[in-house]
Amino acid sequence: MSSTPNKQAGYPRLVADIGGTNARFALETAPRVIEKTAVLPCKDYDTVTDAVRAYLNQSGATAVRHAAFAIANPILGDWVQMTNHHWAFSIETTRQTLGLDTLILLNDFTAQALAVTQTSSKDLMQVGGQEPVEFAPKAVIGPGTGLGVSGLVHSPAGWVALAGEGGHTSFPPFDDMEVLIWQYAKNKYGHVSAERFLSGAGLSLVYEALAAKQKAKPAKLMPSEITEKALSGTSPLCRQTLDIFCAMLGTVTSNLALTLGARGGVYLCGGIIPRVLEYFKTSPFRSRFENKGRFEAYLAAIPVYVVLSEFPGISGAAAALDNHLRNV
């Protein structure tokens, strides 16, 4: 986080959601008014500054003084080294280079959590459960390029988003099949985090492990190819991969819900689930989510929502920037 004193918290403001694959930029031209959204592939730019300048040139934005970037990374100080991309930079140097008065960075899933509090019901699809308990904690999790994890707790000042790196907790195998898949990944990587499986690359890893178990030589399939073959019925192995992926997600999500006491609901973000939405409704996810022995009834009551809004990270970054400028 970096800023210089400025009482005029004006518009337009630059907001961004930067993942390992794409950087999404937009301008907030008035409170909660997001315009000129653009998606730039991270690989096309040597630095984050290059990407920002390309967007500002493309959008024709002028007099931007304040910016917030949600990024797929922990924010531990001034220096940022992305986990799933090669960009590395100083927040303060970037602020000065771009000529900004304010530049704040926050974890992308902290931004996703903030966005949940502003998401319209039309952008949510419920998968099981009952009604959320008002002001109870909410869990936010989403498989995409990586696995993002956050949560929301209510305070007298409103909803507070939690910044953590829950995607890198150790993965818990549920049954014998998942133990075999876990062993395959352990032999390949050592530590096996939840993100190893619950991400785009993780979908491919599950497929690879299942193929190895069948002593088949697997084709190198992209995550999108696996889901396409699974849903079209052209590959039983791909269908099994997707079933196991969703079951694994159910286990990890229910662990998060129990840890947070998330009776306010669980919100699934990220790019993978919306692509398989109709399948997901009847996938193994919900039955695995509730499969917690004595706490089955507790989890059965918790609603799970798939977040369908197009750029929630941008909305969350805008909310974080507004909170920051109000408190400067």
Side-chain angles (χ1 to χ4, degrees):
M1 181 181 297
S2 187
S3 64
T4 59
N6 182 2
K7 295 182 180 179
Q8 300 300 318
Y11 296 90
R13 300 172 181 177
L14 174 65
V15 286
D17 179 12
I18 301 171
T21 304
N22 294 310
R24 301 163 182 85
F25 293 99
L27 295 175
E28 185 181 20
T29 56
R32 296 197 184 186
V33 179
I34 304 296
E35 298 182 344
K36 297 187 177 180
T37 304
V39 181
L40 305 184
C42 294
K43 64 180 178 58
D44 290 352
Y45 302 92
D46 291 334
T47 67
V48 67
T49 303
D50 291 337
V52 171
R53 284 176 167 160
Y55 169 74
L56 291 174
N57 288 335
Q58 174 184 323
S59 65
T62 59
V64 174
R65 311 307 304 170
H66 308 288
F69 300 165
I71 191 166
N73 221 71
I75 307 300
L76 304 176
D78 179 68
W79 186 253
V80 177
Q81 172 70 62
M82 290 188 67
T83 304
N84 292 319
H85 190 61
H86 71 267
W87 287 350
F89 56 94
S90 155
I91 300 172
E92 173 60 16
T93 299
T94 301
R95 182 191 69 78
Q96 293 182 19
T97 301
L98 294 171
L100 298 168
D101 292 330
T102 306
L103 173 61
I104 67 168
L105 268 78
L106 65 157
N107 176 267
D108 62 333
F109 257 74
T110 305
Q112 294 272 3
L114 288 170
V116 159
T117 66
Q118 302 178 3
T119 302
S120 168
S121 59
K122 69 179 177 60
D123 290 324
L124 298 174
M125 185 194 78
Q126 186 168 347
V127 181
Q130 299 171 14
E131 292 297 314
V133 176
E134 188 176 17
F135 300 136
K138 303 175 187 290
V140 185
I141 185 169
T145 302
L147 177 66
V149 177
S150 185
L152 289 159
V153 292
H154 199 264
S155 76
W159 289 101
V160 177
L162 305 176
E165 289 296 326
H168 298 283
T169 57
S170 300
F171 175 78
F174 180 84
D175 55 23
D176 291 344
M177 177 62 78
E178 289 183 13
V179 168
L180 289 171
I181 296 169
W182 175 86
Q183 287 175 331
Y184 180 89
K186 187 178 187 301
N187 290 336
K188 189 169 184 176
Y189 295 109
H191 177 249
V192 183
S193 66
E195 182 176 274
R196 281 293 182 199
F197 297 127
L198 298 177
S199 60
L203 194 61
S204 296
L205 178 61
V206 172
Y207 173 80
E208 183 183 315
L210 290 175
K213 178 180 177 294
Q214 295 182 7
K215 295 182 170 50
K217 185 177 181 181
K220 295 292 184 182
L221 295 182
M222 298 292 290
S224 58
E225 294 175 304
I226 294 171
T227 55
E228 188 280 323
K229 290 176 180 293
L231 300 182
S232 67
T234 57
S235 170
L237 188 60
C238 287
R239 178 61 181 233
Q240 184 183 16
T241 297
L242 191 57
D243 286 346
I244 290 173
F245 176 92
C246 289
M248 288 176 165
L249 181 61
T251 293
V252 172
T253 301
S254 62
N255 287 348
L256 177 63
L258 287 175
T259 300
L260 293 178
R263 294 185 301 139
V266 173
Y267 294 80
L268 291 176
C269 306
I272 294 178
I273 302 306
R275 294 191 179 100
V276 295
L277 203 55
E278 288 306 311
Y279 156 82
F280 188 73
K281 293 176 183 178
T282 55
S283 78
F285 168 83
R286 186 75 209 193
S287 61
R288 180 68 70 82
F289 177 82
E290 296 178 10
N291 194 338
K292 276 290 192 289
R294 291 172 295 169
F295 269 73
E296 181 176 341
Y298 180 96
L299 287 161
I302 293 177
V304 174
Y305 303 99
V306 180
V307 178
L308 302 175
S309 47
E310 192 173 9
F311 300 112
I314 285 177
S315 298
L321 180 56
D322 191 63
N323 291 341
H324 172 77
L325 292 172
R326 288 175 184 274
N327 293 310
V328 168

